[in-house]
Amino acid sequence: EAWNKVESRSIKADFEGPFGATSGWSLQAKAPNKRLTRMESSPWGVLLDGFDGTTAWSKNQNGVRTKDGDELSGAEKEADLRLEVRLKDLYPDLVFKGTETLDSEEVQVLESKPTPSSKERFSFSAKTGFLVRQQSEFKNAEGNDTRVEIRYSEYRAVDGLQYPHVQKFIISAAGQEIELGMKVKEVKHNEKFEDSIFSKPSA
């Protein structure tokens, strides 16, 4: 019921790069499935990533790129504003894979294969029920096998909903691995966003 009262979400956070550099990061999202993130990163400038309900895109110093394949599939699901309570709808083949131990804690694991070349694993704390790890495997824009692991912690209530205020990312692709982090500073609900902000830029 609490999730269904949310029609939009905005988040502000600090994003920590692999060498300790911190960048400002923000998200704007609108029901049912529009999403825009913005990161101001030195030396790369402003990085944008969006989904307008149909088209997934990104923009950096090299220009604008439209996503397809596994990237599009992932963007469609990530943009669902009520993803947390719609896993069965978004991942209809979701199956229980048993229990594992993560940081000395028992977790229950669900797995899905959204496309022939991608896989998603969701690990939920047996104690709290919170999502504590998401593992993604997919083909990136260059066609390389890519793995992303996200750890979620420090859940705090915002308007009756629990959000992880600390996230850690481990990204592996093309024989390289990087670690990133994010600390959420602010979460707001039900602000007014125009649909135009989610549209793919012309350049």
Side-chain angles (χ1 to χ4, degrees):
E1 291 180 1
W3 279 110
N4 288 332
K5 293 177 182 177
V6 175
E7 294 298 328
S8 71
R9 176 186 304 121
S10 66
I11 296 176
K12 293 182 179 179
D14 288 329
F15 197 91
E16 185 176 309
F19 305 109
T22 301
S23 308
W25 183 94
S26 64
L27 172 142
Q28 294 169 301
K30 181 179 180 180
N33 60 347
K34 293 180 171 63
R35 188 176 193 270
L36 173 68
T37 64
R38 175 188 178 94
M39 184 164 67
E40 297 182 12
S41 176
S42 177
W44 301 290
V46 176
L47 308 178
L48 300 176
D49 196 90
F51 185 74
D52 65 4
T54 303
T55 301
W57 56 270
S58 64
K59 180 179 181 180
N60 58 25
Q61 73 276 15
N62 296 321
V64 180
R65 180 175 67 86
T66 302
K67 299 181 181 182
D68 57 16
D70 288 351
E71 282 195 311
L72 174 59
S73 174
E76 290 174 333
K77 294 169 178 60
E78 188 176 35
D80 193 294
L81 191 68
R82 302 183 181 98
L83 166 66
E84 288 82 353
V85 291
R86 281 179 29 83
L87 281 180
K88 288 183 180 179
D89 297 319
L90 297 171
Y91 300 93
D93 68 334
L94 201 64
V95 294
F96 177 58
K97 300 297 286 187
T99 61
E100 297 178 4
T101 300
L102 178 65
D103 297 333
S104 302
E105 179 181 352
E106 184 179 290
V107 294
Q108 298 174 333
V109 181
L110 302 180
E111 186 175 289
S112 169
K113 295 183 178 180
T115 71
S117 53
S118 68
K119 182 168 70 175
E120 297 286 344
R121 300 180 87 242
F122 304 93
S123 300
F124 296 87
S125 166
K127 182 187 298 182
T128 66
F130 294 153
L131 178 67
V132 292
R133 179 181 63 185
Q134 181 174 350
Q135 298 162 288
S136 305
E137 298 179 14
F138 58 92
K139 296 283 189 182
N140 65 11
E142 290 74 34
N144 296 320
D145 290 328
T146 304
R147 294 183 179 183
V148 178
E149 178 173 319
I150 309 175
R151 299 285 191 94
Y152 302 97
S153 61
E154 293 193 25
Y155 275 83
R156 303 176 199 167
V158 180
D159 298 330
L161 301 176
Q162 295 284 346
Y163 285 100
H165 280 60
V166 173
Q167 300 179 27
K168 294 183 179 181
F169 304 79
I170 302 173
I171 303 171
S172 304
Q176 296 185 325
E177 181 176 287
I178 60 172
E179 294 188 16
L180 310 169
M182 188 166 70
K183 293 184 178 180
V184 173
K185 299 188 296 183
E186 176 183 84
V187 180
K188 291 185 177 180
H189 294 136
N190 296 329
E191 296 181 299
K192 299 295 184 182
F193 300 135
E194 296 296 329
D195 286 349
S196 58
I197 71 171
F198 305 102
S199 299
K200 176 184 170 184
S202 57

